[in-house]
Amino acid sequence: MIQVSVIVPVYNAAPFLPLLFKALQQQSLADIEFVLVDNGSTDQSAALIAAFAAGEPRARAFSNRQVCGAAAARNTGIAAARGEWLGFVDADDWIAPQMYERLQTFAQAGQLDVAYCNAACFKDQPGDDTGTMLRRPKPAGILSGRDWLVACHQGGEQIASAAVSLVRRSVVLEHDLRWPEGCAVDDEIWTAELLLRARRVAFLDAALYGYRSNPGSASRSIEPQRVQWRIQGFRRVAETLWHLAEPESPPVRSALNAIADRNGLAALGALKQLADSPLRRATFAQLREGGFVQQLRRRNGGLKLWRRLLKEQINCLMAGR
């Protein structure tokens, strides 16, 4: 019986795949499968995935013929997965040989729905670490997903990432959880919706994941269309989490709203990467539609935000908007 399905979305990641493939092959957990989903790559990624799957009996290769984002690739992987547990790895990252054996043992012992570990950040090769992803003290013991959200918020820590998680697949299927397709900033939506449904969550204090600081990644690109896509993603996170927060208890609502507000402010902050251009003005006009800017202004009334909004408004007025 397959214990863990590791889902890997791939898009134009050919230079990074040999390191990842080696890490997958070195996994110490015997009952594991690797579900690799090519997302319309234009480099050699699809061929490399096919060759790896042909030589590695635990690997299966899938393809989304059109470029539709990592979230869609992960959803394809979830639909194909056969394991009791789900893990998610990005194609340009790395995992320690014992990662899934340790997480699965930890999760089984605690009868968890979600197990988290830490990640070491690196630039070129695992080992040249520049720090860890989660840096502040983590919630201790086994908590409900809602209590985990609150504890992370009160401790000033992010709620963690899917990359450092092991998730019970039955929870995903029971609640029909899916990654938000078409959203450039998808992790916090997935994680928040998962935690609102998880009954038992705990943290394994070990950096078992290697997160690459990749300047060429979609999340760091300064290409105008990529920046605009991220801005739209930040807005979607903010609006989704504001909505999720409404029926929750005050502590959970506060935690979700804090994440939402941070993403809303990130949407405005990212406008600076578009310079003073028609695209920047058009993007700000889109943010004003539907009351997003007004909602953000009501929730975050600081002088810095007011100055930012005034500057963008003046730019639009001068352009005749």
Side-chain angles (χ1 to χ4, degrees):
M1 177 181 176
I2 296 173
Q3 293 295 318
V4 174
S5 297
V6 181
I7 297 168
V8 185
V10 179
Y11 177 69
N12 287 353
F16 308 110
L17 290 177
L19 179 65
L20 176 63
F21 289 163
K22 183 177 180 180
L24 295 178
Q25 289 178 315
Q26 291 177 338
Q27 286 303 294
S28 58
L29 181 65
D31 299 322
I32 192 170
E33 69 170 355
F34 311 121
V35 182
L36 300 114
V37 184
D38 181 68
N39 189 34
S41 295
T42 57
D43 65 359
Q44 295 300 309
S45 293
L48 290 172
I49 289 172
F52 177 70
E56 169 54 70
R58 298 174 295 176
R60 293 189 292 151
F62 297 85
S63 177
N64 288 336
R65 296 186 181 276
Q66 295 181 339
V67 179
C68 44
R74 294 188 187 103
N75 287 334
T76 297
I78 290 172
R82 300 173 295 185
E84 181 182 357
W85 301 89
L86 301 176
F88 300 95
V89 177
D90 289 341
D92 57 349
D93 289 340
W94 175 86
I95 53 177
Q98 298 83 24
M99 175 170 173
Y100 286 109
E101 181 179 12
R102 291 188 62 181
L103 276 175
Q104 192 261 354
T105 300
F106 179 69
Q108 291 281 42
Q111 298 181 317
L112 304 179
D113 289 333
V114 184
Y116 287 116
C117 66
N118 211 336
C121 304
F122 70 96
K123 290 184 178 180
D124 298 314
Q125 292 292 325
D128 60 352
D129 299 345
T130 59
T132 56
M133 178 185 291
L134 306 175
R135 302 183 181 185
R136 295 181 174 87
K138 313 306 174 295
I142 298 174
L143 305 177
S144 70
R146 284 178 168 82
D147 287 343
W148 175 275
L149 277 166
V150 172
C152 289
H153 171 56
Q154 293 176 345
E157 181 62 271
Q158 62 174 301
I159 56 175
S161 163
V164 294
S165 72
L166 189 67
V167 180
R168 190 180 293 274
R169 185 163 68 102
S170 61
V171 174
V172 174
L173 298 180
E174 177 186 352
H175 298 285
D176 193 25
L177 295 178
R178 292 178 59 82
W179 284 78
E181 297 186 14
C183 181
V185 189
D186 49 26
D187 203 344
E188 287 184 311
I189 294 178
W190 164 267
T191 300
E193 292 188 331
L194 173 64
L195 289 172
L196 288 175
R197 293 162 175 85
R199 294 174 292 271
R200 295 172 66 84
V201 180
F203 177 75
L204 175 63
D205 192 8
L208 302 175
Y209 190 93
Y211 174 77
R212 184 189 300 271
S213 179
N214 179 10
S217 68
S219 63
R220 294 173 179 265
S221 172
I222 59 173
E223 179 186 346
Q225 288 185 330
R226 291 280 191 179
V227 174
Q228 187 182 39
W229 191 39
R230 284 201 300 275
I231 290 171
Q232 293 167 349
F234 289 136
R235 175 179 182 167
R236 184 169 171 183
V237 173
E239 292 179 331
T240 299
L241 268 59
W242 282 332
H243 176 72
L244 289 175
E246 289 177 1
E248 296 295 331
S249 66
V252 177
R253 190 184 314 134
S254 177
L256 290 171
N257 280 334
I259 302 169
D261 292 348
R262 185 176 68 246
N263 278 273
L265 293 172
L268 288 179
L271 284 170
K272 293 184 292 185
Q273 295 179 299
L274 295 177
D276 187 12
S277 65
L279 179 60
R280 175 172 174 167
R281 292 188 291 271
T283 303
F284 180 65
Q286 291 172 357
L287 290 178
R288 287 185 298 170
E289 295 174 358
F292 172 74
V293 169
Q294 291 84 346
Q295 169 83 330
L296 192 61
R297 187 168 55 195
R298 284 196 301 269
R299 300 187 52 79
N300 300 271
L303 182 60
K304 185 176 181 180
L305 173 63
W306 280 93
R307 285 201 300 262
R308 165 61 56 190
L309 291 173
L310 181 61
K311 180 179 179 180
E312 299 299 339
Q313 185 69 38
I314 290 173
N315 284 342
C316 287
L317 290 173
M318 292 180 65
R321 287 184 173 273

